[in-house]
Amino acid sequence: MTAHTKIPAAAKSVDLSRRGFLAVAGGAGLGLMVGLKVDPAAAQGAAGGVVQFNPFVKVAPDGAITVVVKHLDMGQGPTTGLATLIAEEMDADWSQMRTEFAPADGNLYANLAFKAQGTGGSTAMANSWEQYRTAGATARAVLVKAAADKWQVAQGEIVVDKGVLTHPSGKRGTYGEFAEAASKIPAPTGMAQETPYKDVAKFKLIGKEGLHRIDNDPKTDGTAIYTQDVKLPGMLVAAVAHSPRFGGKVKSFDDAEAKKVKGVERVVQIPSGVAVLAKSTWAAFKGRDALKVEWDFSAAESRGSDELLAMAKDAVSKPGVATATNTGDAEGALKGAAKVIEADYAFPYLAHAPMEPLNCVVDLKKDRAHLIYAAQFQAIDQPTVAALTGLKPEQVTIETVWAGGSFGRRAVPSADYVTEAVMIAKAIDGAAPVKLVWTREDDTKAGYYRPFYAHKVRAAIGADGMPIAWHHRVAGQSIFSGTALEAMAVKDGVDETSVEGASNLAYAVPNLKVELTTLKVGVPVLWWRSVGHTHTAHVVETMIDELAYAAGKDPVEYRLALLKDKPRHTAALKLAAEKSGWTAGAKLEKGKGRGVSVHESFNTMVAQVVDVSIQKDGSIKVDRVVAAVDCGVVINPDVVRAQIEGGVGFGLGAALRNAITLKEGEVEQANFDTYEPLRIEDMPKVEVHMVKSEQKPSGVGEPGVPPLAPALANAIFSATGERVRDLPLGDRKFKSA
C-alpha cells in the first residue's frame, strides 16, 4: 500500500540490478556507487514509467519522489524522518515527496541494528541515518550525471534546488525529465568512493522546524490505509473465542446458536480457540458471543496477582539466581557504611492498549500466501507463516499498512495474531480471504503484557554523602525465555531486558551488584514501550533521590557529581534544570512539589523535571513536565517533540493508574473503562528541549517514558515527604508536608 502518492498504479518500475540494490541496502554509508548498473531489458520498459534507482528511491515522470520506508509507522514518524533524509540528499522539494512501505525482503530492507527486517527498539532513524542518505545521494548523483551528459556540461557545474536542475548556461530540467536517461547509465567499475553527503551547514530540511509531516494529510482526510480498511472480494471476517485463562484449551464447543446469526458462514477450531467467520465484523462478533465453549484448564495459569507478587517479593528477599553485574564488593561495603537505605518496589503487568486493536488479512492459496496488516517484524512473521503453510518464505508476501499504535505489541516472537489469522485461513482451506479482528477486550484479556516485577535495593553512602555501595535484586518474568530468541538474548541466566538501566548504572558507584531471579509464570509477556527501563529507571532514580536527601544535598547537584564522566547525561540534566527554573535549595509553596530524573535508554538521554500540586482531596495533579533530550542529530524537531510528549503521557498513565491484574488466572480488566488511559484533563503542560549534538541520531520513540514516573515520585516526596515506590499510584491520597 502506498501513502500520499500520486504515482500512477499502472506505471512500470525499473528494477535495477540486484548488485546495485544491495550496494545501497547493505552499504550503510560505507561507499557510494556514482552510477548503478541497470538491467538493459528493464531500462527499455521505463518509458513513461517510474524509475527505481535503489531499494529506497523511486522517481516518477512528474517529478514525484517515492521513498520506500522499511519501518512500520505506528505514529512515531519514520515515514517523515526517512523521507527527510532522502529529500535532503537529493535537494528535493518537500512537496515532491511520497512514501510507501517496503515489502517483506530481509536482504534489501533489514533493520541494520537487528540484521533482520523489523521495527522496534527506537532504531528506525538510528539504523537508517547513513543508509537512506546514501540512497538519496546515489540517486542524485545518477540524475545529475544524466543531465550533464544531455547538456554536455560538467557535473560539478549543475545546481540542484527543490528537485530542479539548472546550469549557468540557462539549461534547466527536473528529476522526472532525467529519470529514464539516468536509469540507463551503467555503474563505472571501481568507482566506489566515500559518500559525498551534503555538508551539515547546508541542510535545508534536517533539523529544521515547520516541516509538514508526510502522514498529516492522509490521516486527516481518511485516505491512509489501515488493516481495518482492507476489503478483498469474498473476504470473511473472523473473531476468535480465546480461553479466559492463559494455557487453557478447547475441550468442546457448541456452535448451533452461533450459526443462527445472520451472516455467519463458518465456525472452526484452531489451536488458540474457536473462530467464527462471517460476512461482516458485527456478525462475527455476535456469532462468537453465541458460542458455547467448554475449556480445559488443567495446564492453565490459575494464580492471581497477589500470589504472583508475593512470589516475586519472596524472590528478592533471597540471593538472585543469576548475577547481571558485580563490580567491587557491594555486600562488604554495605557492612561498614555510614548509612544504609533499603527500599522495596513492585510493578504490575501492563497492557500495550494501542488505539487500533490487532487485525490481519490473509489470502491463502495453494502456492502462495498474501498478508496485509501493520507488520512490525517481517523477519519473524514471514518464515513463521511459511512453516505453518508448508510454503517457502518467498511465497509469503506481506503488504504493510499503517498502524494505529503498537508500543511493542505487534512485534511478537511467536507472531501470535498473525499465526492465528493464518490458522483460520488454513482451517477453511483458503476458501476465502480472511480478516482476523480482535476487539479491545480480546487484546486486554488475551494479549501480551509488560512483565510484573519486584525489586529490592540496599544502597549505602559514605561520610561525604556519596554512594559507596549499591546492591540491587530484581525478580520477574523473562520476555525472551521460551521463545526462538532465547539463545541469543539470555546469557548466563540473565535476560538483559529485565535488568537494563540497572545493570549498566550510569552513576559512579564503586561497588555495584545486580542480581536477577527469573520467575516462571504462564502469562504471556512482551516488550512494552521502553521495555526494562520502565521499571529500572523508577527504582534507580527514586533511590538516587533518597540518597541525595539522606546526604543533605540538592538532587540535581548530587546527580551531576555522580555523572561527571557522563557528558551527555550531564548536558540533558543541566538543560532540563535550567529550563524548569530549578534552584538548589529553593522552597516551593505548601502543596507544591518538584522532582527530577535523568535516564539513558536506546542510546538517548532524557532528563525530566516534574511539577505537581496536592489537591484538596489528596490526589495528585501534574502541572508541568520539562524534558531535555539528547538524541544526537535531530532530524525532525516536531517529531522528536511529539514523541517525548507522547512518552510523557504514556508514562504518566502507567504511573497514575494502569495495571493488569489477575484473579484465579483470569485478567480482570477488559476495556478503557477498567484499563483507563490518560485523559486529556490529566495531561500536563509539556516543554521539550533538545541538546544540540553532532552525534549520529538515536531513538526517541521510547526514551521519553522511563524518566516520568521517578520524576513524578520525587516531586510527590518534595510536596509531601512521602516516598512512592510501588506503581501505579491508584487511589492513594497524600497530605502536604
Side-chain angles (χ1 to χ4, degrees):
M1 291 285 181
T2 60
H4 200 56
T5 179
K6 296 181 181 177
I7 297 175
K12 293 183 178 179
S13 294
V14 175
D15 184 2
L16 302 190
S17 71
R18 190 76 171 179
R19 176 183 171 187
F21 262 28
L22 291 175
V24 178
L30 297 178
L32 169 66
M33 297 302 295
V34 174
L36 291 175
K37 285 194 174 182
V38 180
D39 181 344
Q44 290 174 6
V50 178
V51 177
Q52 184 162 6
F53 288 97
N54 54 58
F56 311 107
V57 180
K58 299 179 182 180
V59 177
D62 65 358
I65 299 171
T66 295
V67 177
V68 181
V69 176
K70 68 177 185 176
H71 293 285
L72 174 63
D73 197 321
M74 306 162 265
Q76 81 279 30
T79 48
T80 295
L82 297 178
T84 303
L85 300 182
I86 296 292
E88 186 70 82
E89 290 297 339
M90 291 187 72
D91 283 308
D93 188 71
W94 190 240
S95 65
Q96 295 175 261
M97 306 309 294
R98 313 286 186 264
T99 62
E100 66 182 41
F101 293 114
D105 187 333
N107 288 321
L108 295 181
Y109 300 111
N111 183 319
L112 302 180
F114 302 160
K115 296 181 173 59
Q117 190 174 3
T119 305
S122 295
T123 59
M125 293 301 104
N127 92 96
S128 304
W129 170 244
E130 292 179 327
Q131 186 182 49
Y132 272 70
R133 292 181 70 194
T134 297
T138 300
R140 182 187 190 280
V142 177
L143 287 158
V144 168
K145 188 177 190 308
D149 289 349
K150 181 177 180 179
W151 295 341
Q152 293 297 295
V153 300
Q155 294 180 52
E157 296 174 356
I158 293 176
V159 175
V160 184
D161 183 42
K162 295 186 177 181
V164 177
L165 301 91
T166 58
H167 185 265
S169 64
K171 293 180 172 65
R172 179 184 178 90
T174 67
Y175 278 152
E177 294 173 40
F178 293 105
E180 184 182 351
S183 72
K184 298 175 181 178
I185 299 174
T189 304
M191 288 298 290
Q193 60 181 354
E194 252 185 63
T195 306
Y197 292 144
K198 182 186 289 188
D199 186 271
V200 174
K202 296 181 179 180
F203 281 169
K204 297 178 180 178
L205 299 173
I206 293 175
K208 305 305 180 184
E209 295 279 3
L211 202 64
H212 187 70
R213 272 183 66 141
I214 211 161
D215 53 339
N216 279 355
D217 290 348
K219 287 181 177 178
T220 301
D221 63 25
T223 58
I225 300 298
Y226 294 81
T227 310
Q228 202 63 17
D229 297 316
V230 176
K231 295 179 181 178
L232 301 181
M235 184 179 75
L236 296 176
V237 179
V240 177
H242 298 106
S243 168
R245 292 182 184 174
F246 299 106
K249 302 293 183 183
V250 176
K251 182 182 291 185
S252 64
F253 68 94
D254 180 350
D255 60 5
E257 294 300 314
K259 288 181 175 178
K260 292 179 183 178
V261 175
K262 185 178 179 180
V264 170
E265 296 283 308
R266 300 279 298 270
V267 179
V268 296
Q269 183 176 341
I270 57 175
S272 59
V274 181
V276 175
L277 294 102
K279 292 181 178 179
S280 69
T281 304
W282 183 247
F285 290 165
K286 296 299 288 184
R288 182 180 63 174
D289 291 344
L291 276 176
K292 296 177 182 177
V293 184
E294 186 178 356
W295 300 96
D296 175 5
F297 294 134
S298 58
E301 179 59 69
S302 61
R303 290 171 290 183
S305 293
D306 290 343
E307 295 167 85
L308 296 177
L309 184 57
M311 176 176 63
K313 288 184 174 181
D314 179 65
V316 294
S317 70
K318 305 170 184 176
V321 172
T323 300
T325 301
N326 193 8
T327 303
D329 180 9
E331 291 166 289
L334 281 163
K335 293 177 183 177
K339 189 169 187 177
V340 176
I341 296 176
E342 183 173 320
D344 293 282
Y345 302 81
F347 305 90
Y349 286 116
L350 291 172
H352 300 79
M355 196 55 64
E356 178 195 15
L358 304 173
N359 40 31
C360 180
V361 174
V362 178
D363 187 7
L364 180 63
K365 304 298 183 185
K366 289 184 178 180
D367 61 346
R368 66 171 180 82
H370 183 62
L371 286 75
I372 307 172
Y373 65 107
Q376 189 171 350
F377 220 145
Q378 296 91 335
I380 288 177
D381 296 352
Q382 188 180 42
T384 300
V385 172
L388 283 173
T389 57
L391 298 170
K392 297 177 181 178
E394 58 268 25
Q395 292 176 294
V396 177
T397 57
I398 296 175
E399 189 172 344
T400 297
V401 295
W402 296 94
S406 173
F407 314 116
R409 179 60 183 93
R410 301 178 196 276
V412 192
S414 66
D416 71 319
Y417 73 99
V418 177
T419 296
E420 189 169 83
V422 172
M423 293 302 294
I424 296 168
K426 189 176 179 182
I428 63 170
D429 296 320
V434 172
K435 181 196 286 184
L436 171 67
V437 179
W438 282 37
T439 63
R440 185 161 313 286
E441 287 83 359
D442 290 332
D443 196 24
T444 303
K445 284 186 168 292
Y448 284 66
Y449 311 99
R450 195 283 305 269
F452 76 98
Y453 282 96
H455 291 243
K456 179 183 282 292
V457 178
R458 297 175 66 225
I461 56 176
D464 60 355
M466 305 310 286
I468 59 171
W470 186 290
H471 188 193
H472 195 152
R473 289 175 178 164
V474 184
Q477 283 178 260
S478 165
I479 291 171
F480 284 106
S481 292
T483 74
L485 304 175
E486 179 176 0
M488 173 192 73
V490 180
K491 303 296 182 184
D492 298 322
V494 176
D495 180 339
E496 186 60 29
T497 65
S498 296
V499 294
E500 59 186 356
S503 60
N504 57 337
L505 190 69
Y507 297 107
V509 180
N511 301 288
L512 172 67
K513 187 173 185 179
V514 180
E515 301 172 282
L516 173 66
T517 298
T518 296
L519 305 173
K520 300 294 183 182
V521 182
V523 177
V525 294
L526 188 63
W527 31 70
W528 184 92
R529 192 174 184 179
S530 75
V531 201
H533 300 280
T534 61
H535 52 99
T536 59
H538 182 79
V539 174
V540 169
E541 283 301 301
T542 54
M543 176 55 76
I544 281 290
D545 223 61
E546 290 202 44
L547 298 183
Y549 277 94
K553 299 181 183 292
D554 174 75
V556 169
E557 292 181 349
Y558 193 72
R559 285 172 170 80
L560 290 173
L562 293 170
L563 295 168
K564 61 181 184 298
D565 296 324
K566 300 283 186 177
R568 297 184 68 196
H569 290 75
T570 296
L573 180 56
K574 284 184 174 180
L575 183 59
E578 173 196 340
K579 296 297 184 180
S580 69
W582 185 284
T583 303
K587 295 292 184 181
L588 302 180
E589 63 181 276
K590 186 177 178 64
K592 300 287 186 179
R594 179 171 289 171
V596 65
S597 68
V598 59
H599 189 76
E600 175 186 359
S601 59
F602 309 96
N603 300 314
T604 291
M605 290 67 185
V606 178
Q608 293 179 5
V609 175
V610 171
D611 288 347
V612 302
S613 55
I614 311 301
Q615 305 302 291
K616 290 181 179 180
D617 64 354
S619 63
I620 298 295
K621 178 174 175 53
V622 181
D623 301 311
R624 182 180 70 149
V625 177
V626 177
V629 54
D630 181 348
C631 58
V633 172
V634 173
I635 298 172
N636 298 104
D638 188 56
V639 172
V640 171
R641 194 175 293 113
Q643 284 303 293
I644 299 300
E645 290 170 350
V648 166
F650 197 81
L652 184 56
L656 292 178
R657 51 179 170 262
N658 291 162
I660 290 292
T661 58
L662 283 74
K663 184 176 181 180
E664 296 180 351
E666 296 188 24
V667 173
E668 296 183 288
Q669 292 71 34
N671 206 316
F672 284 152
D673 57 339
T674 46
Y675 191 84
E676 189 179 354
L678 192 76
R679 302 293 179 180
I680 191 67
E681 62 265 23
D682 300 320
M683 189 66 186
K685 177 183 178 182
V686 181
E687 300 175 19
V688 179
H689 305 276
M690 295 158 232
V691 176
K692 291 183 179 179
S693 174
E694 296 182 0
Q695 299 278 341
K696 292 179 181 179
S698 51
V700 296
E702 298 170 272
V705 176
L708 187 282
L712 169 62
N714 294 335
I716 292 173
F717 172 78
S718 168
T720 68
E722 297 181 53
R723 285 290 176 186
V724 172
R725 292 170 179 151
D726 296 352
L727 293 178
L729 293 179
D731 295 327
R732 185 172 172 180
K733 303 298 182 182
F734 298 89
K735 293 182 179 180
S736 299

